[in-house]
Amino acid sequence: MSAICEVPGGNIAVAETPMLRWVLAYADDALILGHRLSEWCSRAPSMEEDMALANLGLDLLGQARFLYSHAATLENAAQPALERSEDDYAYRRDAPQFRNALLVEQPNGDFAATMVRHMLYASFADLYWRASLAVSDPAIAAFAARSEKEIAYHERHAADWVIRLGDGTAESRRRAQSALDGLLAFADELFETEADQLPLMAAGAIIDPARLRDAYRHRIEQICARATLSLAWPRWHQSGGRQGRHGEHLGHLLAELQFLPRAYPGASW
Amino acid sequence: MVNETTAQETAWAIASALPDPEIPALTIAELGILRSVELMEGVITVSITPTYSGCPATEMIKGDIETALRDAGFSAVAVRLIHSPAWTTDTLSAATLEKLRAEGIAPPHRGQAPHCPLCGSSAVEQIAAFGSTPCKSLWRCITCREPFDHFKCH
Amino acid sequence: MYAQALDQTDTRPAQGDDPARLAAFQARIDAEQKIEPNHWMPEAYRRTLIRQIAQHAHSEIIGMQPEGNWITRAPSLRRKVALLAKVQDECGHGLYLYAAAETLGVSRAALVDQLLAGTAKYSSIFNYPTLSWADIGAIGWLVDGAAIMNQIPLCRCSYGPYARAMIRVCKEESFHQRQGYEIICSLAGGTPEQRAMAQDALNRWWWPCLMMFGPPDTESQHSDQSTRWKIKRFSNDELRQTFIDATVPQAHRLGLTLPDPDLHLDQATGHWRYGAIDWAEFRAVLRGEGPCNRDRLARRNAAHAEGEWVREAASAYAAKQNQRKAA
């Protein structure tokens, strides 16, 4: 398959099957959001929150590692000579090869923006991994069980903060509302169905996120009501991340994340 | 190696005695991280399960097992990660919970707030939802004022 | 984790300390029994401990910055997870130590205010920059190694909550030190560029690490009282020598050299003899003239100031909830 010749230490050329694309999409979501959370280190509004943000980041990075290893297993099974590892996917792909939703690459902004972004992601991920308990591959189902347990806490933590900020002071309310207004257009991309994955969905190998959209909207509406924030679902949504069409921010994030392996190709750490 | 059963038992004895890198008072067997040791086609295959996705100790445990078994004369060793069933604090034995408490870590009890591991008081308050490691939270005893970690239910 | 022997014992005359109580207190310490928060203690003992535990806590919190500097650039997912977890550990140790200081009747908020105002001390080592990935290995191997040497005797400190905190912290620190040493091993056994990176890190961190044990015994103030109170168990120079004796052979095994032309093994005693430490540099860094003092405090202050609206929102919300409950 991989007709493109890979330069040692350079970009890898992933032969994307529908299954591999699915694995990479969710792995990339977890890596990019985990990386964003790690950017908060020693900058959080309180020491308790510094620990909490590091923790949320750790969960996501751990989930990304599982999924990248799974991707490597799939690719190596098709072409053992590739000898793919988890790090190849994180460090040796350029922005257009990343499949994450645009939501997770949005900059941290202020604490309100980080918590609103996290609520929008975690409410989705909680529903998605719970639904994925039923997928046919027992390894993925077990991963989903573990992730759901972790993400349920993420959702609660983010929702608690969105409620506190929305129903806190005038300033926190203004910041939370502004974050919500700005980020809501990124939510719907999480529910896009990729046409070539339909057979996998029909076979029960993966879950179609589209079927979770109503439940998701209901959850977000409930949180925003408790936060006394006004919520108006936009009639349009931002899209393109799953196809590798990203915003300007991802390139900078990757330049930082990938710096060492790019500067010292072939070295092991 | 005398025979398969003996080899398997010896390997289990070695692996199960290894301490957890972060809570060295407990072994990886006591913490439920070590799942099985099998002899498969001449290879001692050790299965471990990570406690949670981002646990930084998993690789170190893997390395410790490989080193310990090689040092004991096992030439072919494989350590694999298994994810199903997911790790849980529910399977920790009463003895393990007591060891945690003796270490100054309030053990997990589902649906129950921790008690002070030092004086046993139930008058405690949470300082932070996370302690120094993600599997713990930080508390304070109101009676004796001791700060302590609580191993969270998972 | 970075206790540093830079504190002075508080020897201000304690007024009103009843001689009989003082004698009973000292007898308890001499019998190797712990002093607990609810026990009577002389004010000077209390103040000395508050200052030492607070400095220790501050060091943990400031120590997040130099290592946090490489989390977003860690070279593999495995290293990234380990580093993020390590920095979280440090924050956790900081919080734990603030809670231990609070058992002595001081509030964390008051201690943090002193840190933010620049009037509290923290370990001088964190005022040096982390310039390459190898520095993350060097911090784990050397800085955590030195900290463990400093802290192991504190596990037997006379004050119960501090001693118990140190027992737990030391265990987690050894895990960190292993990770750091492993990073340095990978680099030392890697490409020529990686080896050079490891050597450069060792060259830069070696002397500041030796300074972590505090001034030489000839200059160390008031350690007699701390020794009598069993807060301090070994002298600065004794701990420094133990660290050097343990570390030099490790460096040699890795094929790295130490930046000290006078370093040699004293065959008679088995100790490594080292060259003169630049104490003027140590004092300058403590005065605020280190490469990163300004950045470290500025970051702490910025995080605190930028977080204010969040903390206000949290208390406003909590107050509303209480009102609603009462209604």
Side-chain angles (χ1 to χ4, degrees):
Chain A
M1 268 290 285
S2 105
I4 307 167
C5 178
E6 289 179 9
V7 181
N11 285 344
I12 57 168
V14 182
E16 282 190 346
T17 60
M19 188 61 197
L20 201 52
R21 250 177 108 89
W22 175 87
V23 175
L24 289 176
Y26 290 93
D28 292 346
D29 278 356
L31 172 68
I32 301 301
L33 189 57
H35 181 95
R36 279 287 186 229
L37 291 172
S38 78
E39 292 172 352
W40 271 100
C41 178
S42 78
R43 293 175 173 85
S46 68
M47 294 172 200
E48 287 82 354
E49 201 49 38
D50 234 316
M51 290 208 286
L53 290 170
N55 231 287
L56 304 183
L58 275 175
D59 284 344
L60 290 169
L61 292 174
Q63 291 168 14
R65 293 187 67 188
F66 172 88
L67 289 169
Y68 286 138
S69 299
H70 191 69
T73 310
L74 295 177
E75 263 205 294
N76 291 335
Q79 265 187 288
L82 290 174
E83 294 183 10
R84 287 276 192 263
S85 74
E86 55 174 13
D87 286 336
D88 288 335
Y89 300 101
Y91 291 91
R92 295 178 58 197
R93 286 181 303 152
D94 202 354
Q97 296 173 281
F98 271 77
R99 301 283 166 224
N100 60 282
L102 298 174
L103 174 71
V104 297
E105 71 192 52
Q106 297 311 303
N108 285 338
D110 63 10
F111 186 68
T114 292
M115 283 301 124
V116 168
R117 184 187 64 197
H118 210 70
M119 167 191 76
L120 292 173
Y121 170 79
S123 290
F124 161 75
D126 185 54
L127 286 165
Y128 194 73
W129 294 127
R130 187 172 309 174
S132 299
L133 298 176
V135 299
S136 49
D137 181 342
I140 298 281
F143 164 76
R146 179 192 300 275
S147 300
E148 196 277 326
K149 242 163 132 175
E150 290 165 351
I151 291 287
Y153 177 79
H154 289 222
E155 188 191 20
R156 201 161 63 241
H157 188 78
D160 283 350
W161 269 114
V162 170
I163 292 164
R164 267 185 226 125
L165 297 178
D167 194 15
T169 63
E171 181 180 11
S172 67
R173 183 190 167 70
R174 178 184 61 73
R175 288 175 184 258
Q177 188 66 58
S178 149
L180 186 66
D181 295 345
L183 289 168
L184 220 42
F186 293 98
D188 259 3
E189 187 187 4
L190 297 165
F191 300 93
E192 288 174 356
T193 304
E194 298 209 50
D196 62 355
Q197 289 172 358
L198 283 170
L200 290 173
M201 291 167 182
I206 59 175
I207 298 297
D208 182 358
R211 66 178 227 215
L212 305 169
R213 189 161 162 269
D214 291 344
Y216 174 81
R217 288 197 161 200
H218 182 64
R219 281 188 179 198
I220 300 294
E221 282 156 13
Q222 280 188 319
I223 298 167
C224 289
R226 287 187 58 200
T228 69
L229 293 170
S230 56
L231 175 78
W233 293 104
R235 284 189 307 276
W236 59 285
H237 74 268
Q238 295 280 9
S239 176
R242 299 276 188 237
Q243 290 76 45
R245 294 191 313 276
H246 295 277
E248 291 177 347
H249 304 297
L250 185 65
H252 292 278
L253 185 156
L254 294 178
E256 191 170 340
L257 187 150
Q258 299 178 340
F259 153 69
L260 276 170
R262 297 287 193 187
Y264 302 90
S268 65
W269 303 90
Chain B
M1 295 306 150
V2 184
N3 61 49
E4 290 199 0
T5 322
T6 320
Q8 218 163 288
E9 277 168 7
T10 312
W12 171 269
I14 292 164
S16 64
L18 290 170
D20 177 76
E22 286 192 291
I23 310 175
L26 297 181
T27 66
I28 57 172
E30 286 169 327
L31 278 171
I33 293 168
L34 181 66
R35 284 281 166 88
S36 64
V37 176
E38 291 159 287
L39 189 63
M40 287 156 76
E41 292 164 9
V43 179
I44 286 288
T45 307
V46 181
S47 299
I48 58 172
T49 191
T51 50
Y52 58 98
S53 294
C55 182
T58 309
E59 264 92 8
M60 202 169 268
I61 293 171
K62 192 166 177 264
D64 286 348
I65 294 172
E66 284 162 356
T67 311
L69 290 176
R70 294 230 169 85
D71 288 353
F74 291 93
S75 50
V77 177
V79 181
R80 58 176 192 185
L81 282 180
I82 54 165
H83 297 267
S84 177
W87 180 82
T88 166
T89 51
D90 292 344
T91 52
L92 299 181
S93 74
T96 301
L97 297 181
E98 175 49 30
K99 268 193 177 179
L100 275 172
R101 197 206 53 76
E103 276 291 289
I105 302 170
H109 282 295
R110 206 161 279 285
Q112 241 182 301
H115 288 208
C116 173
L118 191 66
C119 76
S121 169
S122 60
V124 294
E125 59 176 350
Q126 191 180 57
I127 300 175
F130 293 100
S132 53
T133 60
C135 53
K136 297 182 221 143
S137 56
L138 181 58
W139 293 68
R140 177 196 340 261
C141 174
I142 293 165
T143 308
C144 75
R145 291 197 262 170
E146 180 85 351
F148 65 91
D149 275 341
H150 168 44
F151 202 111
K152 292 186 275 195
C153 286
H154 195 89
Chain C
M1 158 55 42
Y2 318 99
Q4 174 169 299
L6 50 75
D7 199 10
Q8 297 95 35
T9 312
D10 194 321
T11 50
R12 278 177 286 173
Q15 283 154 9
D17 281 349
D18 169 10
R21 279 181 135 176
L22 259 180
F25 171 81
Q26 189 62 49
R28 195 175 170 85
I29 289 179
D30 293 343
E32 295 285 338
Q33 287 177 314
K34 295 288 179 236
I35 305 299
E36 296 297 340
N38 299 329
H39 292 160
W40 179 87
M41 62 188 82
E43 265 316 293
Y45 177 83
R46 183 189 303 274
R47 282 197 300 261
T48 299
L49 272 168
I50 288 177
R51 203 161 358 147
Q52 179 164 341
I53 299 173
Q55 281 181 4
H56 197 159
H58 298 330
S59 300
E60 297 282 0
I61 297 299
I62 295 290
M64 295 169 70
Q65 291 183 38
E67 290 180 277
N69 183 35
W70 281 90
I71 291 174
T72 55
R73 290 178 290 170
S76 71
L77 293 175
R78 180 190 166 192
R79 299 285 186 218
K80 197 181 189 71
V81 164
L83 185 57
L84 182 55
K86 181 183 178 199
V87 175
Q88 178 190 318
D89 258 25
E90 271 143 28
C91 192
H93 292 163
L95 275 182
Y96 194 97
L97 286 161
Y98 283 126
E102 285 184 320
T103 62
L104 291 156
V106 62
S107 77
R108 175 174 129 198
L111 298 175
V112 169
D113 282 346
Q114 291 168 7
L115 174 66
L116 295 174
T119 55
K121 288 197 180 98
Y122 56 84
S123 186
S124 59
I125 196 81
F126 299 120
N127 291 316
Y128 291 88
T130 48
L131 302 177
S132 78
W133 173 250
D135 290 24
I136 300 307
I139 287 186
W141 173 34
L142 302 173
V143 177
D144 291 339
I148 293 169
M149 294 278 175
N150 264 336
Q151 284 162 196
I152 284 176
L154 290 173
C155 296
R156 293 191 294 130
C157 164
S158 59
Y159 189 56
Y162 193 34
R164 290 187 292 270
M166 284 303 103
I167 292 172
R168 291 204 11 261
V169 163
C170 279
K171 285 180 183 159
E172 290 172 1
E173 288 303 322
S174 345
F175 176 57
H176 294 167
Q177 201 208 359
R178 264 183 80 179
Q179 290 177 329
Y181 189 64
E182 210 191 282
I183 290 175
I184 289 287
C185 288
S186 300
L187 296 176
T191 66
E193 279 180 311
Q194 286 177 307
R195 282 190 73 79
M197 209 184 262
Q199 183 63 57
D200 174 59
L202 180 55
N203 293 348
R204 283 181 291 107
W205 289 93
W206 177 249
W207 291 108
C209 275
L210 298 190
M211 296 176 195
M212 284 177 71
F213 296 93
D217 295 348
T218 47
E219 289 173 32
S220 192
Q221 306 165 44
H222 310 302
S223 52
D224 289 359
Q225 182 62 79
S226 270
T227 307
R228 253 195 316 278
W229 279 337
K230 298 200 172 149
I231 295 175
K232 202 173 174 62
R233 297 262 178 179
F234 297 100
S235 80
N236 295 353
D237 285 336
E238 283 169 337
L239 290 170
R240 191 167 11 247
Q241 187 66 57
T242 314
F243 172 75
I244 292 171
D245 289 343
T247 312
V248 171
Q250 290 178 332
H252 289 164
R253 267 201 300 281
L254 291 172
L256 299 174
T257 56
L258 293 148
D260 179 356
D262 297 325
L263 188 76
H264 66 276
L265 185 65
D266 179 345
Q267 297 290 353
T269 61
H271 290 307
W272 286 88
R273 297 297 171 208
Y274 51 99
I277 295 174
D278 181 0
W279 292 110
E281 176 181 321
F282 176 67
R283 285 187 294 269
V285 174
L286 283 188
R287 274 198 308 273
E289 298 165 17
C292 298
N293 297 58
R294 197 168 145 266
D295 291 346
R296 302 290 184 240
L297 267 192
R299 162 80 65 82
R300 208 55 250 146
N301 274 290
H304 191 76
E306 282 158 27
E308 188 162 10
W309 68 271
V310 179
R311 296 190 301 271
E312 277 172 3
S315 34
Y317 177 77
K320 282 187 205 179
Q321 285 301 97
N322 286 337
Q323 255 174 19
R324 283 168 195 153
K325 254 181 239 159

